[in-house]
Amino acid sequence: MRERAGGLHRNSVRQTGADGASCRGLAIGRDGSSPETRAGKMECPCSCALRGREPRRWDFAWLLVRRALALLVFFVIAGVGHFVVGQKTKVAADTAIPVHFTDIRKAAGIDFVQDSTESSEKYYLETMGTGVGWIDYDQDGLMDIYFVQAGATDAYKPAKPLRSALYHNNGDGTFTDVTAKAGVGGEGHYGQGVAVGDFDNDGFPDLYVTGYGRAILYHNNGNGTFTDVTAKAGVADSGQWSTSAGWFDFDKDGWLDLVVTNYLDWSPQNNLWCGERAAGYRAYCNPNNYKGQRIKLYRNNHDGTFTDVSDKSGVGLPEAKGMGVVLADLNNDGWTDIAIANDTWPNFYFQNNHDGTFSDESLLSGIAASEDGRYEAGMGIDAADMDGDGLLDVYITHLDFELNRLYHNNGDGTFTDVTYSSGIGNKAITMSGVAAKFIDFDNDGWPDIVQANGAMVDNVALYHSEVTYKEPLLMFHNLGSGHFEKASEAMGPDFMRPVAGRGLATADFLNDGAVGIAVVCRGESPELLRNDGGNANHWLEVLLIGTKSNRDGIGASLKLTSESMVQVQQAKGGSSYMSSSDPRIHFGLAGHTKVDSLVITWPSGHVDKLMNLPADQILAVKEGAGVVPHPFPRVPRK
């Protein structure tokens, strides 16, 4: 029997099996009995936690061979890359600035409280939390914010109906709740996540809200209101448990398509008893006790409706336990691919075949598992060029006693697990990583990593003396060329306040170049963290407006050059965990006051090249027309 180093999804109880081996999975009975001897109770020993997911031996052999070759390629590339980006590293190091984050949620007027819907039944659904999305719904140039809410269950009846909440950015440091007017409360819907995208190319971003049993598509009417068009559009995802979702144009026809990650075949009717049968010890179950669902891919028909092409495309064929998704061109062929973080299941990498289908390259790519072949509790995911080689690397969060994995893109369709060599290693091994985003918080030109943490089992301390339910946020600072150091403690006391973190999204909500953070905290108010100090370095932001391409420009590649500094970014779909971030592309420029060139390659193939751009501004760039007027009012700091 092999120890599973991660655990009771959602922070499994660590016990000792009858053979004395250390076990992470569901707690076994105190008598050491197996699930079979306690039929219907499913207090599961270690062997059960592995059941149904143990890879075949030839899988591991082939995987190790591929990874050995990939590692050799990586070290060769890394040696070359040192010379390519060495000057860029020096620029960043010479312009180090202090940054801390301040929670302004209360002063901003945001009174949303996430309802945990907690009950003695320990419904699996309760522990998930919800997501958050940034959306400029009225196109006034200010990022508004949408918090997804949970709902009533058979075991939990709230005093008042629960609803999600949309807050309008007033441009003076405050926000106003406009949910009722906008019509996006979703009462009666057990919400999970949110994806923002302009699916009908009318210039106003729409909302797709995932959830248990069904999802909701809200069409933005352009007048401050939304209409539920789910039934007409055909994207209800009925009967499924949808978590994350993302918009992207997989067939490059100029219209946004939709990918939805579905999770488990769980219901109140098959809710198992997990954990020890002692007062207060009942725990949320391991996902291995339930079958997974399937990923959904909906193709945009250009008329307000979508066609389910999940099976035809290949994306919906394998069983999944989807939690997070990022949509980006990972092999630099100009077509957007799909990467999905699965929970105790192989992560997915679907490579776009350019013909409406995808190839499942999950195992051969190296993303499916850790470097030692473990399928871990994948939750949050994002992609960025962390080392300046022009290729997007992938970061995936996991639970305590697993590692948050950083996969280096080798440029040949494979990835190398560089978690240790990057400096991330086991620096957060007792923390449960949930959501994560690449963020250049200090504008030094290198993408850092911000992560929301929090155990999934609220009574985890009963089983793990070294683990707490609430945990602080995590910041990994990129020192240059993809080498990171833990910098959380320097981010300030608000950043370090322990919370049960769930959804996380980033945005420059003050329009001053300092990227802030919104975090959903299970069972309490969210955090709205203002970035204080990040704009001491220079920056540039770009809002894409597609014409031949989809209106949001998702799938576009941007290459910025400023003297010795070269950065490559993409307009991505999805990312983080059940959340949606600022769609504007943010470049940190360190000490550079001017951008020599910005080359935008749109999904349509059109290329716009902009020259001699002053730093410290937000630009709207329209495909084929270049910079166009658009308001981006600067919000005063209080």
Side-chain angles (χ1 to χ4, degrees):
M1 184 190 70
R2 187 181 58 151
E3 178 184 352
R4 177 174 175 262
L8 157 69
H9 171 75
R10 325 260 43 152
N11 304 90
S12 64
V13 180
R14 184 200 277 173
Q15 289 288 319
T16 301
D19 59 358
S22 176
C23 171
R24 290 190 54 77
L26 298 179
I28 62 174
R30 290 183 175 181
D31 60 355
S33 57
S34 70
E36 289 77 9
T37 62
R38 299 189 310 281
K41 296 180 183 178
M42 289 301 291
E43 291 118 331
C44 196
C46 350
S47 58
C48 177
L50 293 168
R51 187 174 300 143
R53 70 178 191 85
E54 192 71 36
R56 290 171 292 183
R57 290 184 178 181
W58 70 265
D59 283 342
F60 275 127
W62 179 237
L63 186 63
L64 291 174
V65 169
R66 289 296 299 256
R67 285 184 177 165
L69 293 173
L71 189 61
L72 178 62
V73 172
F74 167 66
F75 281 121
V76 172
I77 293 174
V80 175
H82 176 75
F83 294 98
V84 173
V85 300
Q87 181 62 32
K88 181 178 174 183
T89 305
K90 183 176 186 297
V91 170
D94 289 347
T95 54
I97 58 171
V99 176
H100 68 275
F101 288 87
T102 303
D103 188 356
I104 64 168
R105 189 269 315 165
K106 188 174 182 179
I110 293 177
D111 56 4
F112 176 84
V113 176
Q114 199 276 340
D115 196 312
S116 66
T117 70
E118 186 172 339
S119 74
S120 60
E121 294 299 314
K122 294 290 183 182
Y123 278 0
Y124 202 95
L125 184 62
E126 299 167 5
T127 191
M128 301 287 285
T130 53
V132 55
W134 290 99
I135 174 174
D136 183 5
Y137 76 94
D138 55 357
Q139 289 296 286
D140 63 355
L142 294 163
M143 297 307 301
D144 312 300
I145 191 166
Y146 184 78
F147 293 101
V148 181
Q149 184 60 283
T153 69
D154 293 346
Y156 178 78
K157 306 298 182 184
K160 297 180 180 179
L162 300 180
R163 64 175 178 83
S164 298
L166 176 63
Y167 287 88
H168 176 260
N169 189 334
N170 299 322
D172 60 0
T174 67
F175 290 75
T176 298
D177 187 336
V178 294
T179 311
K181 178 184 177 182
V184 291
E187 290 185 11
H189 178 232
Y190 200 113
Q192 290 283 261
V194 57
V196 178
D198 183 1
F199 75 85
D200 59 350
N201 289 334
D202 66 354
F204 290 91
D206 310 296
L207 288 169
Y208 186 76
V209 185
T210 63
Y212 180 75
R214 65 186 177 95
I216 302 174
L217 177 59
Y218 290 112
H219 174 256
N220 190 334
N221 300 320
N223 60 0
T225 69
F226 291 75
T227 300
D228 183 343
V229 297
T230 314
K232 175 188 175 183
V235 292
D237 201 39
S238 297
Q240 304 299 299
W241 181 355
S242 53
T243 53
S244 293
W247 297 98
F248 73 137
D249 184 4
F250 80 90
D251 52 3
K252 299 215 292 189
D253 64 355
W255 297 77
L256 289 180
D257 311 297
L258 178 67
V259 65
V260 181
T261 64
N262 289 308
Y263 191 37
L264 301 177
D265 279 332
W266 171 91
S267 72
Q269 289 69 43
N270 68 6
N271 189 55
L272 305 171
W273 182 293
C274 296
E276 296 187 39
R277 287 187 176 271
Y281 276 78
R282 186 173 184 177
Y284 296 104
C285 289
N286 187 296
N288 287 310
N289 284 314
Y290 301 97
K291 291 183 178 180
Q293 296 186 333
R294 297 293 195 273
I295 306 302
K296 288 291 186 179
L297 178 60
Y298 297 99
R299 187 186 65 220
N300 194 325
N301 297 327
H302 313 173
D303 60 359
T305 69
F306 292 77
T307 297
D308 185 343
V309 294
S310 308
D311 291 348
K312 180 180 178 181
S313 67
V315 170
L317 296 179
E319 182 179 349
K321 297 182 179 181
M323 296 290 272
V325 59
V326 65
L327 306 165
D329 179 8
L330 296 177
N331 62 350
N332 273 13
D333 65 354
W335 294 74
T336 305
D337 309 303
I338 303 171
I340 292 172
N342 282 310
D343 189 2
T344 66
W345 202 254
N347 300 314
F348 292 157
Y349 170 38
F350 294 112
Q351 188 170 290
N352 196 323
N353 294 327
H354 314 171
D355 60 0
T357 69
F358 291 79
S359 295
D360 186 348
E361 301 294 332
S362 307
L363 182 64
L364 296 183
S365 71
I367 282 181
S370 64
E371 66 177 337
D372 56 350
R374 296 178 186 269
Y375 299 151
E376 298 175 312
M379 295 168 65
I381 187 170
D382 198 10
D385 179 12
M386 55 98 177
D387 55 358
D389 64 359
L391 300 166
L392 297 196
D393 311 293
V394 176
Y395 184 78
I396 301 177
T397 66
H398 299 102
L399 295 184
D400 58 272
F401 300 102
E402 296 177 336
L403 300 180
N404 300 301
R405 298 287 174 179
L406 180 61
Y407 296 95
H408 176 266
N409 191 331
N410 300 318
D412 61 355
T414 69
F415 293 77
T416 298
D417 185 341
V418 295
T419 303
Y420 275 101
S421 61
S422 68
I424 291 175
N426 63 358
K427 292 178 181 176
I429 196 166
T430 61
M431 301 174 73
S432 292
V434 183
K437 273 286 296 173
F438 282 102
I439 173 179
D440 188 356
F441 74 88
D442 57 354
N443 285 326
D444 66 355
W446 293 99
D448 314 298
I449 299 171
V450 63
Q451 179 174 307
N453 307 286
M456 292 290 164
V457 175
D458 50 5
N459 58 357
V460 67
L462 296 175
Y463 296 99
H464 301 275
S465 60
E466 66 274 43
V467 174
T468 60
Y469 170 55
K470 294 185 177 182
E471 299 169 339
L473 301 180
L474 184 66
M475 184 71 80
F476 284 116
H477 183 219
N478 193 334
L479 301 178
S481 299
H483 297 283
F484 294 84
E485 68 174 1
K486 184 181 175 184
S488 309
E489 290 77 8
M491 300 294 102
D494 288 348
F495 190 90
M496 292 299 294
R497 181 175 73 90
V499 297
R502 295 299 186 258
L504 177 150
T506 60
D508 179 9
F509 57 85
L510 300 181
N511 282 347
D512 64 0
V515 180
I517 306 164
V519 183
V520 173
C521 306
R522 180 178 181 251
E524 60 180 308
S525 300
E527 294 182 315
L528 182 61
L529 298 171
R530 184 185 67 202
N531 181 326
D532 294 324
N535 54 11
N537 273 330
H538 297 291
W539 54 276
L540 184 78
E541 289 176 14
V542 181
L543 174 69
L544 298 175
I545 303 174
T547 53
K548 292 182 179 180
S549 303
N550 65 85
R551 175 81 180 196
D552 293 343
I554 294 176
S557 176
L558 296 83
K559 182 178 181 180
L560 177 146
T561 302
S562 181
E563 297 180 355
S564 58
M565 176 180 283
V566 178
Q567 296 184 54
V568 175
Q569 294 200 43
Q570 292 182 22
K572 301 172 297 184
S575 78
S576 190
Y577 168 78
M578 303 199 303
S579 298
S580 189
S581 292
D582 192 336
R584 298 172 297 189
I585 312 300
H586 180 93
F587 292 93
L589 299 177
H592 297 271
T593 60
K594 185 187 68 170
V595 171
D596 298 323
S597 70
L598 177 65
V599 179
I600 304 173
T601 303
W602 297 84
S604 67
H606 179 80
V607 177
D608 282 314
K609 187 172 184 179
L610 310 176
M611 307 293 291
N612 300 319
L613 303 172
D616 305 328
Q617 62 172 324
I618 306 174
L619 299 175
V621 180
K622 190 172 184 178
E623 184 178 9
V627 177
V628 295
H630 196 289
F632 297 108
R634 182 78 57 101
V635 179
R637 289 174 174 258
K638 297 182 178 179

